[in-house]
């Protein structure tokens, strides 16, 4: 028997950022990968260093960063001000 389904929602594009290299950003990525499925969120998650994240912010829906990087990322394409 056919059951209509709702179309899958597009994946949320998440970029994780750490202070240097990829260590912290990979830990944030692993946490996000564990947290999104129970919330029913389909996510495409990528770990980047700060310089790469500043360039890639335009294609992200969400930036997850360590607290010390918020100010460094806040000016990036007015990322936190867009709706």
């Amino acid at each position: 028997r056919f059951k209509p389904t709702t179309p899958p929602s597009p994946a949320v594009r998440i970029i994780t950022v750490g202070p240097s290299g990829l260590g912290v950003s990979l830990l944030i990525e692993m946490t996000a990968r564990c947290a999104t499925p129970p919330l029913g969120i389909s996510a495409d998650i990528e770990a980047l260093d700060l310089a790469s994240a500043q360039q890639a912010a335009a294609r992200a829906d969400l930036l997850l960063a360590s607290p010390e990087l918020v100010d460094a990322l806040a000016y990036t394409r007015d990322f936190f001000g867009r709706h």
Side-chain angles (χ1 to χ4, degrees), residues 6-49:
T6 57
S9 57
V12 175
R13 177 93 169 117
I14 301 173
I15 293 178
T16 63
V17 190
S20 61
L22 292 174
V24 172
S25 61
L26 286 170
L27 290 173
I28 298 170
E29 177 188 14
M30 291 186 325
T31 301
R33 287 191 187 282
C34 291
T36 51
L39 297 171
I41 298 171
S42 174
D44 176 21
I45 306 170
E46 182 179 9
L48 296 174
D49 60 60

